[in-house]
Amino acid sequence: MGTARSALLLGAVACLLAGCASAGADEDRTLDGPVALVAPTPGGPPLQGPAPLPEEALGLPPVTAEMHAVLDEVQRRWGGHPDLGQPEISRDRALVVLRWHGTPPPGLSALAGSRDGGTFEVRVEETPFRDGELVEEAGRLVRENPGVVTAAGPRAAGDGIVVGLHPSVAEDGPERLGLTSRFPLFPEVMDAPVPIPAG
């Protein structure tokens, strides 16, 4: 995945952890440093595969009402469960991937099986790590590495963390920069997000 695509993907599905977490407590807070870009709430709005560039997005088929119904059902039944991961819809709209850490509940597997022979496939995939733990670690990496880590967030597959490295230090790579984690890190060269002026 290229740097531009990665930035678009993180931006399109991201919630600014530093800003969103405190929005209620400090309405006038502005962005003044690196932020952790965090994926949507598990079971929430799906990723659409690798983020298309704006001109590519115009040619993609629409997400159908039936696909939304599957995602809504997952959210209704398991939305608060810590083992639920990020859903994903393929760019050709032929596949909906539901993700779960550990053995999925029978109801989730049954929901996927009920779509057999439909206009799209639903598949359940097991994630190596919990989405919430990846989100927490992404925030730590950003907070503890100012000027080095410009953004971070969990990969949709739940297999590690995308770490945005500032262009001025990206050549060194995570190990030489002293970035360590109990989760796999996937570095990308990424400028710091542009601060949004307070309205």
Side-chain angles (χ1 to χ4, degrees):
M1 185 184 306
T3 301
R5 282 183 191 276
S6 296
L8 281 170
L9 174 60
L10 285 172
V13 304
C15 168
L16 299 177
L17 179 64
C20 292
S22 60
D26 187 2
E27 299 270 339
D28 297 323
R29 176 178 165 83
T30 58
L31 232 57
D32 54 6
V35 294
L37 297 178
V38 182
T41 302
L47 303 175
Q48 311 275 315
L53 296 172
E55 63 274 14
E56 295 173 331
L58 297 174
L60 294 179
V63 176
T64 66
E66 291 83 3
M67 289 178 167
H68 280 295
V70 169
L71 298 174
D72 289 346
E73 177 71 5
V74 170
Q75 181 63 30
R76 184 183 68 77
R77 295 175 66 180
W78 299 284
H81 200 290
D83 290 335
L84 181 64
Q86 296 179 36
E88 188 170 2
I89 295 175
S90 65
R91 292 180 66 185
D92 64 3
R93 309 308 191 241
L95 174 67
V96 174
V97 178
L98 306 175
R99 295 190 169 99
W100 194 271
H101 177 71
T103 303
L108 188 65
S109 299
L111 177 63
S114 71
R115 295 299 313 178
D116 286 347
T119 57
F120 60 93
E121 177 189 354
V122 179
R123 184 168 65 219
V124 179
E125 293 183 355
E126 186 175 341
T127 64
F129 308 109
R130 287 186 174 89
D131 198 67
E133 293 175 348
L134 295 174
V135 168
E136 184 177 334
E137 179 70 351
R140 181 193 70 80
L141 289 167
V142 169
R143 288 190 306 272
E144 294 182 4
N145 298 281
V148 174
V149 177
T150 56
R155 285 166 48 102
D159 58 353
I161 299 169
V162 175
V163 178
L165 300 179
H166 193 277
S168 65
V169 298
E171 284 185 10
D172 293 331
E175 297 81 11
R176 292 183 62 187
L177 291 169
L179 297 179
T180 59
S181 174
R182 63 192 176 105
F183 302 109
L185 301 179
F186 296 83
E188 298 277 358
V189 179
M190 198 178 300
D191 286 315
V194 178
I196 301 171

